[in-house]
Structure formats: structure tokens, C-alpha cells
Amino acid sequence: MSFEPLTLTPELHTYLLAHSTPPDAVVAELIAETRAALPGNATMQVGPEQAAFLRLLTSVMGVRRAVEVGTFTGLSSLSIARGLADGGRLTCFDVSEQFTDVARRYWKRAGVDDRIELRIGPAADRLAELPAEPHLDLAFIDADKEGYVTYWQELVPRVRPGGLLLVDNVLWSGRVLDPQGGSDQAVAAFNDVALADDRVELVILPIADGLTMARKLAG
Ligand SMILES: C[S@@+](CC[C@H](N)C(=O)[O-])C[C@H]1O[C@@H](n2cnc3c(N)ncnc32)[C@H](O)[C@@H]1O
């Protein structure tokens, strides 16, 4: 039996948020501060449901080694860091001191700053500094869309078999159906590259702006 996929109306989205574990005070304040201080950029932040999902997934996977590309003011990294197993570590990459100064404050407030290392600089260069062997349990990509294929190619070999890669904004507000500008083309091209990659199996989850969840295969 097939059925029409669900259209997530604003009302249904509000309902979904209201029936998921609510953000705690730290997350609520981080969202509020980002919206107030950086109104032109606040939509870059992952949604509250994604934050909850990242924390839950990190936790159920028992993640000990994680990488994030694109940290901004820190909501996704805070969520991953909170889900890490004891002794777990998250390495974050971003180009902006301004945005990540906010992240550092909230990591400290949440008591997870000792689990996170932040590396400032273009991720295309800095990712190559990571050990080459497959040591990562989880990688999250959420930076400039033009860099997605490069970040993917740097990270797939570094994720252990059975580990996960998560990639945000892969539906790009629906523009992947008729890509026009540079970022549209970049996201659409990334989706084609990921699909053709026989090192992973993947599914696109229709959460927020679309989230690819890819599992590294053995061999
Ligand atoms: C969509 S935001 C990340 C949102 C973040 N995951 C969150 O939950 O708040 C994208 C981030 O990528 C960073 N960025 C842009 N170009 C980059 C590059 N070449 N290398 C590393 N980070 C980059 C930006 O500074 C920005 O903070």
C-alpha cells in the first residue's frame, strides 16, 4: 500500500515541537540570543527538533569521537557534546571567531567545554589535519554548501564502518528540484555524489531543511 507523503504545515510543525522533549534553559537561551543578536543569520542554526535528534542519536550510538563542520553559535555542537559517551570528544570546524565566541560561552555554561575542540579556519584545509584512519563514530556537516562534496570526501574515509555521517540542508528549501544559483547547484550535486558513493548506505530524513543520514559500510 502506498500513501501520499505528509506535508508538514506550520501548524503541524508547531505540534511536532510541542510533543517532543522541550529545549532546556541553556538551549532556549542560546536560541533566543542567536535570534536577538544575529537576526540576519539566525536561520543558519539547526532547528530545535534537530538539536534533540542529534543529542539522542549521539547518545544511542555511544559516540566517542565526533566531528562537526559548521558550528555557528553552537546549538548542534552543544547537542552532540551532550550526547557523547564518557570520555567522548567533539572536534568542531568553523571560519568565524565572532559566531563561535557565542558557542564557547554556551559550551561552558552547559559544562561540555572540556569535550570540545574548536579549530578556526577553512574546513577544506583543516579537515586534512585529522588522522587519516577510520576513527570517527559520527560526522556532522553543516557549513558552506559549496564545500559539501569536499567535506564529504575528507570525512567518509575517517568514519569507522558502522559510523554515521549527517549532512544538513540537503533539501535546501525544495530548491534541489530546480537548482538555480551556486548553492542550489552545490547541494544538488552533493546529493548526487552521496547517492553514488558505494562506501555508504543513506536516507534523507525530511526533518527541518532535510538531513542526510549515511552509514559507512564495511570494506
Ligand atoms: C549553517 S551554519 C552552522 C549552524 C550550526 N550547525 C548550528 O547548529 O548553529 C554554517 C557555519 O559554517 C561556517 N562556515 C562557512 N564557510 C566555512 C568554511 N569554509 N569552513 C568552515 N566553516 C565555514 C559559518 O561561519 C557558519 O558558522
Side-chain angles (χ1 to χ4, degrees):
M1 188 176 122
S2 66
F3 55 90
E4 283 293 309
L6 183 68
T7 300
L8 196 61
T9 61
E11 293 76 16
L12 207 45
H13 184 242
T14 301
Y15 178 92
L16 173 160
L17 292 178
H19 290 80
S20 301
T21 303
D24 69 2
V26 179
V27 169
E29 284 173 37
L30 172 53
I31 293 170
E33 178 175 340
T34 301
R35 288 178 183 169
L38 299 163
N41 299 107
T43 57
M44 294 206 295
Q45 188 172 56
V46 291
E49 70 273 45
Q50 287 181 295
F53 180 68
L54 287 170
R55 179 176 182 168
L56 196 151
L57 187 65
T58 305
S59 174
V60 296
M61 282 188 67
V63 170
R64 295 182 55 80
R65 291 289 173 268
V67 159
E68 172 180 271
V69 184
T71 295
F72 189 45
T73 57
L75 182 52
S76 50
S77 50
L78 175 64
S79 307
I80 294 168
R82 282 175 146 180
L84 289 172
D86 286 349
R89 303 278 305 161
L90 169 64
T91 306
C92 292
F93 295 86
D94 203 290
V95 284
S96 171
E97 295 276 10
Q98 183 206 351
F99 294 156
T100 55
D101 279 351
V102 180
R104 286 185 197 276
R105 272 197 284 117
Y106 279 88
W107 296 339
K108 198 167 176 56
R109 249 191 85 186
V112 296
D113 52 320
D114 60 342
R115 304 178 200 172
I116 303 175
E117 181 194 351
L118 174 62
R119 300 191 188 182
I120 296 292
D125 303 332
R126 306 287 321 253
L127 283 170
E129 298 168 3
L130 292 171
E133 70 268 14
H135 65 290
L136 298 173
D137 304 304
L138 180 73
F140 178 54
I141 299 174
D142 187 21
D144 56 306
K145 307 313 161 200
E146 289 76 6
Y148 268 27
V149 171
T150 301
Y151 307 148
W152 176 264
Q153 299 298 4
E154 288 290 341
L155 287 167
V156 171
R158 292 176 164 92
V159 172
R160 66 165 172 81
L164 290 182
L165 295 108
L166 301 173
V167 188
D168 199 19
N169 304 112
V170 295
L171 297 179
W172 205 227
S173 302
R175 294 196 294 275
V176 286
L177 292 180
D178 183 20
Q180 300 291 326
S183 300
D184 298 7
Q185 301 282 3
V187 175
F190 166 74
N191 287 334
D192 291 342
V193 167
L195 179 65
D197 194 328
D198 60 8
R199 297 171 295 181
V200 300
E201 59 180 354
L202 65 81
V203 61
I204 294 180
L205 304 175
I207 179 172
D209 195 24
L211 183 72
T212 288
M213 183 161 131
R215 176 175 173 269
K216 177 90 176 278
L217 299 172

